[in-house]
Amino acid sequence: GGGGGGGDGNSDVVSIRSVSGTAPSGGGGRLEKIAPAKRSVLDDIEDDRDIDEYKCLERFFYLYYTPLLEKQKCTLLFFFVLLGIVAGYLSSTLSAATDAARFLPDNFPVQRALDLTTDSFKETDFVSIQGLYWGIPPIDRAGTNPNIPDDPGTVFFDRANFDPSSPAAQQHILDTCALAREHEYTRRREVMCFMEMFCDYVVNTTAAAAECPVPATDFVPLLRNWTKYYEPPEGYEVLAPSGRVRMSRQQTVRWHEVDDRLLSVAIFVNTTNTRRLTLPEATERFSSWEAFVAERQEVAPAGLQGNMIQVTSRGHWPSMETERVLADNALLGIGVSLVLAFVVILATSCNLIITFYAMLSVCGVVASFVATIVLMGLQLGTIESIAITIIVGLAIDTSVHLGVAYVESEAKTAYERTRSALTELGPSVLSAAITTAGAAAFLLLATIIFFSRFGFFIFLTVAWSTVWGFGFLPVLTLVAGPVGTQGDFIAFAKWLTRPCRER
């Protein structure tokens, strides 16, 4: 029986005993071979002779963390599946911001002053002016790049069709002024209507029998004289929009600098737009003014059709469009990022199964991140939209490194490959997560909300990436990790092309 004890350290131990109780060497008893006891994966740690050379984190992952995952893998898998379902549901409840974006804390002196002037007084010096122009068709944005601020499109005057000289056109402008005063977002019926002031000029400075609207042949000469020379009589109240933006007759009626041809006319409306409009509020007001313009265009006479636009003086519409694009593209950005992440993981691991597992982990990180900000009461504003588009880049880090380490491991079993991946790259990936979170922690001290919240979002993403990368992904590989060439698409491609290569 001396040769029975040979073999490597991983061989099963076989015990031999004497049935009669005498020593085996005595030859007096019958020998019985006992079946080897089933070894646990936890016993493998005794076979490694280099364990003493491992560093602290390597010993932690090798001796404690991987065996713990193996022991609790079913429970942990159930936990992460439940967490993913709950996070996915909460993520679906994320809504667009109903409050205007704020970039300073509520108790900051500057923000308190802004809130005081905006919310604590019935009247402020802030007035948003709505301009209604005739003679300018909708801006041609064909071939423009929406990502370049200096490429807004082509603005041109409708010199071929614009003609407000007919009595019907003049009356149409007067009616538009009257309707604009009754608009739901007009401030105290304040409308600067050049046509009303022009009619006052015609009645008070021309022949006694003069009436307005004037004949078409007289309109342009009289309008030119009114624009350049007329001064209202003393005591005549001319409504001018309040606030820092001042309008004049030269702004309401525009002439060509060379041939003195009439190019456009406009009326200006003081609106009830506040300094800060939320995306829903701005969208509602923009749509209301667009509908107003469309209604007036439907009944416009010849000369005023197809050349009316509306603009605002305070940049509410560009801000509205920016917030809308950010909100709409947040989900698009996640989708594009996930596709790129899939390509990167597949290219680095060359294993479809590991790629699928890693993508499940990344999706779990994204869903958990969004669910957390929902639970915090945050909504999809400007800051959140920007953060959501970049979290996939941070979320992929842990999963891709551990997944590639699993594939490159030379171990034979799923447990050994998982342990090898965690031991070899776990310390480095965990250290990288700690340093990234530590760098983001400094942003938490910033006064400006954008920086502090952005730092918190980075910290939150790294935290969830660590949880899912070190928890869910190893559990998946322990439960159903690929071994050998399973999931290896290069080996699969070779198998498919083998008949062709053997010919």
Side-chain angles (χ1 to χ4, degrees), residues 155-226:
V155 181
F156 59 92
F157 295 102
D158 186 12
R159 302 185 65 174
N161 301 312
F162 174 62
D163 183 11
S165 60
S166 67
Q170 298 173 49
Q171 187 60 49
H172 178 80
I173 296 175
L174 287 170
D175 295 341
T176 303
C177 293
L179 292 173
R181 284 193 175 88
E182 305 301 327
H183 193 275
E184 58 180 328
Y185 296 122
T186 298
R187 180 175 180 257
R188 294 201 306 257
R189 299 171 52 87
E190 295 178 351
V191 175
M192 184 178 183
C193 182
F194 82 95
M195 197 65 196
E196 292 175 345
M197 293 184 282
F198 171 74
C199 287
D200 179 81
Y201 160 75
V202 170
V203 173
N204 288 283
T205 61
T206 57
E211 295 181 355
C212 192
V214 300
T217 54
D218 298 336
F219 178 74
V220 172
L222 289 173
L223 185 66
R224 184 179 292 110
N225 290 336
W226 171 80

Side-chain angles (χ1 to χ4, degrees), residues 129-165:
I129 300 174
Q130 193 72 23
L132 302 175
Y133 287 82
W134 288 272
I136 304 177
I139 298 175
D140 182 10
R141 303 187 188 277
T144 61
N145 187 342
N147 299 315
I148 301 178
D150 294 332
D151 188 19
T154 303
V155 181
F156 59 92
F157 295 102
D158 186 12
R159 302 185 65 174
N161 301 312
F162 174 62
D163 183 11
S165 60

